[in-house]
Amino acid sequence: RDLQLFAHMSKAARAIPVDRCDAQAVSNILNAFSRLNIQDRALFAHLAAATKATPFSALSAQGVANTLNAHAKMGTEDPALFQYLSQAIQETISLSPDASNFSPRRSYKPINPKGQDAAAHTSEDDDFDEDESDSPRRQGPQGGGGPRGAHAFGGSSSGLVFDSQAVANVVNGFARRDMLDKKLMEVMSQAAIAIPEHCWDAQATALVLNAFAKLE
């Protein structure tokens, strides 16, 4: 890894005003640094501020998952950030017409697969790293897919659309930081139940089960 390059790009990213940081770019930058376990507290603090300044409508499910897991993995101490992400998930789903009663017939819908499976992981502390730079935002039926890319949970018109990969990443991120909010986990439980059984792979299943086991 080229640490000089990452140091230079960190300075470049920190020079971008918070209100000009695109949500997708923020999650991709965080994802890159966390993949290589590069500690950069100044950068992560700047990007956390950018995330908290982002309207819920500008977020994607995978972006939220990547942002959450990167901060959790690198040990970010910012309760307000995790509260913001929790609120974003809860409010976006609750405001979605199709999520009003969590009926599987209404709450999941087909999404176009990218033809790629999630990367294999062997530890419950791992997550699915996914760069969104070449992926459509997952805010409608045209979004990209997670494991098997078949179905996702969310509203039909707006808001976050969760496939099994995004559900697993979200609950795993909160579990890592021991910030499991019962209301949030109830929402994520219903999202997981609404996704058909054949859309889950072993790693996503393990991450979800371990996160909920920590809640008990």
Side-chain angles (χ1 to χ4, degrees), residues 4-28:
Q4 185 176 2
L5 170 66
F6 275 80
H8 177 75
M9 299 313 298
S10 171
K11 290 181 181 179
R14 282 182 279 133
I16 302 171
V18 166
D19 60 358
R20 291 180 55 198
C21 291
D22 174 79
Q24 179 174 308
V26 167
S27 75
N28 286 342

Side-chain angles (χ1 to χ4, degrees), residues 102-118:
F102 295 109
S103 167
R105 287 189 177 183
R106 299 183 62 201
S107 299
Y108 72 81
K109 56 178 170 287
I111 56 179
N112 295 328
K114 292 165 57 179
Q116 298 176 347
D117 291 332

Side-chain angles (χ1 to χ4, degrees), residues 34 64 70 108 126 129 150 163 171 174 202 208:
S34 66
V64 168
Y108 72 81
D126 286 340
D129 290 324
D163 61 11
V171 297
F174 279 99
V208 169

Side-chain angles (χ1 to χ4, degrees), residues 19 25 27 30 33 40 56 63 73 102 105 124 127-128 133 140 144 148-149 155 160 176 181 194:
D19 60 358
S27 75
L30 290 168
F33 274 79
D40 191 328
F56 292 168
K73 185 176 181 179
F102 295 109
R105 287 189 177 183
E124 69 178 74
D127 53 84
F128 295 100
S133 59
R148 306 196 190 184
L160 304 182
R176 279 181 173 179
D181 179 278

Side-chain angles (χ1 to χ4, degrees), residues 10 13-19 21 26 29-30 33 38-53 67 70-71 74-78 80-82:
S10 171
R14 282 182 279 133
I16 302 171
V18 166
D19 60 358
C21 291
V26 167
I29 293 170
L30 290 168
F33 274 79
I38 298 175
Q39 289 281 355
D40 191 328
R41 296 190 182 279
L43 174 64
F44 273 58
H46 180 72
L47 296 181
T51 296
K52 289 181 286 187
T67 298
H71 282 288
M74 304 308 288
T76 298
E77 296 291 342
D78 189 345
L81 171 66
F82 289 92

